[in-house]
Amino acid sequence: MSSTNDENSPASAPSGAGAESSSRSTSTPEQQEPGCMPIAIACTLLMGIVSFVFCGVTTWVLFQKRTEVAVRTLVGYVDVIEQSLLPPDEKKSVIEQLETTIKEMRAEDYPQERASAVMQRLVRLPIPQYGELDVIDAFIQDNFDDAERDDGLKQISRLRRAIERGKATVIDVNDVLLPTTQVDTTHPLGRVLKQPLAADEIRDVVERAKLVGDRDDLADQFFERKPIDEILKRELTAAVDQGGF
């Protein structure tokens, strides 16, 4: 009898740890707080928008002041020319042309577009470097023998021809002159020609000049030196008639 009653009696309810486990499994989990990540993302996006607007406004302001920026740049550039190694007559002519351009730009009705065109052409023109090429020429004349002297003068003349044609820019000429220059923070250009010059460095300059001439498909011949003030005059006229690049 007792065994029958035990079989028919209902199962006892779970108790203790088992009951707690069952209760946890059926309860809804608590929602976690989002934390600071959304705020950080929003702040980053906001800062990006502000920076974009600031850059846009700054660019617009500078765009409207192109002539003023050009005048300030040219005033400083006159000082660079005054300390250059250009022949005195060419230096004087270059400075006069720059000062005339500055005076014209200071007029209230001077077109902003023309100021941009003038600067686009001037920044490409290696005016101070033109005088440094004269120093290289003089070294070749005085220190190299016949065949090497003739080839050196020819390659430098080809580089000048490339400058005259607008094919070689200030970047090209600075690279050609690199073996013969050294840093000088007191000079407006930030570097000067080494003193004294060394023959091996000049040979490196000649080789670099040859590469520029070959790149621009110039004839392998000597070209007459065109004064830099004449090249400048042509570029200033082109800026007015044709605009920039």
Side-chain angles (χ1 to χ4, degrees):
M1 292 290 294
S2 61
S3 61
T4 303
N5 291 336
D6 291 340
E7 292 176 359
N8 294 332
S9 62
S12 59
S15 60
E20 291 180 3
S21 175
S22 176
S23 175
R24 289 174 184 172
S25 63
T26 58
S27 62
T28 303
E30 296 182 0
Q31 293 184 350
Q32 295 183 350
E33 294 294 332
C36 298
M37 184 60 69
I39 298 176
I41 295 175
C43 290
T44 302
L45 292 175
L46 182 60
M47 291 176 62
I49 294 172
V50 171
S51 299
F52 179 79
V53 173
F54 177 78
C55 290
V57 172
T58 303
T59 302
W60 181 83
V61 171
L62 291 176
F63 189 78
Q64 298 300 317
K65 294 182 177 292
R66 283 171 289 175
T67 302
E68 181 179 341
V69 173
V71 167
R72 292 182 180 180
T73 303
L74 289 179
V75 169
Y77 196 49
V78 169
D79 295 335
V80 175
I81 302 302
E82 288 177 343
Q83 298 186 46
S84 70
L85 300 174
L86 290 172
D89 55 338
E90 292 182 33
K91 180 186 295 188
K92 180 181 178 182
S93 177
V94 167
I95 291 175
E96 288 176 351
Q97 292 183 61
L98 293 177
E99 289 179 341
T100 299
T101 302
I102 292 171
K103 183 178 180 180
E104 292 173 350
M105 284 184 175
R106 282 176 170 159
E108 294 183 359
D109 58 346
Y110 192 86
Q112 300 274 355
E113 296 78 9
R114 184 179 299 175
S116 296
V118 168
M119 295 309 299
Q120 286 175 17
R121 291 180 177 274
L122 280 182
V123 296
R124 292 168 51 90
L125 196 58
I127 299 178
Q129 292 82 355
Y130 216 75
E132 294 173 336
L133 291 177
D134 291 337
V135 176
I136 303 298
D137 264 353
F139 185 96
I140 294 173
Q141 286 273 18
D142 296 338
N143 296 276
F144 287 177
D145 294 333
D146 295 342
E148 190 174 23
R149 179 179 64 245
D150 292 344
D151 182 67
L153 295 176
K154 177 179 66 177
Q155 301 307 334
I156 298 300
S157 77
R158 295 176 76 213
L159 175 60
R160 284 205 188 91
R161 177 63 172 168
I163 296 171
E164 178 187 345
R165 296 176 59 196
K167 299 296 185 179
T169 67
V170 64
I171 296 176
D172 298 315
V173 181
N174 279 338
D175 181 70
V176 170
L177 291 170
L178 186 60
T180 57
T181 59
Q182 63 185 13
V183 175
D184 184 351
T185 56
T186 64
H187 193 276
L189 288 178
R191 93 290 184 279
V192 294
L193 288 180
K194 296 178 182 178
Q195 293 296 334
L197 294 170
D200 287 341
E201 295 169 347
I202 299 298
R203 291 186 180 97
D204 194 358
V205 169
V206 170
E207 182 60 30
R208 291 171 181 237
K210 180 180 184 301
L211 292 176
V212 174
D214 292 344
R215 181 196 68 186
D216 296 328
D217 296 326
L218 293 174
D220 189 26
Q221 67 179 55
F222 180 84
F223 293 92
E224 291 295 330
R225 181 187 185 280
K226 189 176 184 66
I228 191 63
D229 59 321
E230 295 182 13
I231 300 175
L232 173 62
K233 183 177 181 180
R234 182 198 66 197
E235 290 300 311
L236 292 175
T237 301
V240 175
D241 297 339
Q242 305 171 21
F245 293 99

